[in-house]
Amino acid sequence: MKSLNQLTIKQASQLLAKKEITSVALTEACLKRIKEIDGKIKACLTVCEKEALAEAKKADERRAAGESGDLLGIPYFAKDNILTRGIKTTAASKILANYIAPYDATIIKKLKQAGAVLLGKTNLDEFAHGSSTENSAFGPTHNPWDLTRVPGGSSGGSAAAVASDMCLFALGTDTCGSIRYPAGFCGIVGLKPTYGRSSRFGLIAMTSSTDVPGPLAKTVEDAAIVLSVIAGVDENDATTVNQPHPNPLLSKERVNLKSMTIGLPKEYFTAGTDQGVTQAIEQAVATLKKLGVKFKSVSLPHTKYAIPVYYIITPSEISSNLARFDGIKYGLSAAPSLTSPARTSRERGNDLMSVYTRSRGKGFGPEAKRRIMLGTYALSAGYYDAYYLQAQKVRTQIKQEMDKVLQEVDCLLTPTAPHVAFKIGAPQSADPLKMYLEDIFMAGASLSGLPAMSIPCGFDNGLPVGMQLIGRRFDEAMLFRVGWAYEATTRWHLEKPGI
Ligand code: GLN
């Protein structure tokens, strides 16, 4: 018999509807699991036990009063760069170590209305800059499949929490892979919705032109359920679009995959990918072929520019977005010494510039500082045209190329990452450029704003391998259909780490 925290959203909501379990019992099971294993995994930055139990009780009362809903009473975690009213939001940065937001992000508000139960906040790379959670100011999260390895990032805490059954689902943000990549490393489903599908209001902004929040879940169907609740136009985010919501039920229909053609972009099948990963992907392609899917080799020649373009655009937007953390408006303020014998405020260091530099110097970690410097450089007069503007032009070409190929095929299939989870402290951890290259299969969909999902598709040396599906703009339903059909004939998503 499974313990309650191991259930999927779908299973739990059916039991809740039949009154066979309560949300309080479900929440208690998650809290117990967190206490048992988070000392080793370190996925959580905040656990709000009292509030969660109160919300669970409320959800049970709502059900008793006749309300229903797939997420009513379902416990979840939110990545700690998503604002939660009254509960700390740190972005895993010292500069926000004690920050408590005065309002909820739109997606948190929607989940609250749906009756989901917030268990707490999960670890990430500081401000979501990274791919391993090693950039967190509060220490790395450990991969539940092998505690000596990273869970991926930047939503590594969310991925590890779902993979180890501390919750039923978690929220992440994906700017260039931060949902899909850790989902792949942890053997779960991670969906980056279309840019504009889910509101960015209340996310701590990283790269505003690619940031998008989405679910990390145990199954494709669960991801679809969460998306259907968090999606939608929001008057507080002008980039959200009024498009019909994907119907989670679509993922239940075993659609006829025979009419479907999936593209295999040859630039994503390169020599640098580990053999075990390539084999798992080939096996997944063979499985889908058996279900009737046709495959077609396609080419995206601009793929080689995606990383350089992203790493011009992302620091540029970051340098602007992080300007607000100045030691005055938000968070940590490095106050001058009051006992200083200096006479002028400049000498004492309490003039405005000194407060800025000292607070930012103390508050930001090395990666945030690196990106602020790179971005400020790329945007400065004389360099703007050569770097930022040029990158934006190439970005448009990447986007047009992907849109065009997606007219020929229904979606694309690629590996999520070139290898499985690496060791904490591995060579890429010490070399920013190597770490940036980890985003190799992530950048195309992010720069183009397309929906993409990572699904478990096998193991290499006992560690999970993910495959990525990239869809047409606002066609998450296609990803759900392929993903669900694949999941229904495989068992990868049912494998659990032995922790
Ligand atoms: N690896 C990407 C980066 O460091 C991840 C960003 C993200 O999706 N938040 O920029």
Side-chain angles (χ1 to χ4, degrees), residues 79 128-131 154 173-178 206 310-311 371 439:
K79 186 179 181 180
H129 306 164
S131 304
S154 64
T173 58
D174 193 313
T175 303
C176 184
S178 282
M206 174 180 167
Y310 172 74
Y311 278 98
R371 293 185 188 214
D439 304 343

Side-chain angles (χ1 to χ4, degrees), residues 79 81 124-132 135 153-155 173-182 192 206-207 210-212 310-311 314-315 318 367 371 435-439 442 446:
K79 186 179 181 180
N81 61 348
L124 62 149
D125 290 289
E126 183 178 9
F127 286 107
H129 306 164
S131 304
S132 67
N135 291 338
S154 64
S155 314
T173 58
D174 193 313
T175 303
C176 184
S178 282
I179 291 176
R180 293 162 281 160
Y181 183 87
K192 174 191 111 61
M206 174 180 167
T207 306
T210 65
D211 290 344
V212 53
Y310 172 74
Y311 278 98
T314 210
I318 286 167
E367 185 59 26
R371 293 185 188 214
M435 193 64 95
Y436 297 169
L437 288 172
E438 290 296 319
D439 304 343
M442 302 286 101
S446 286

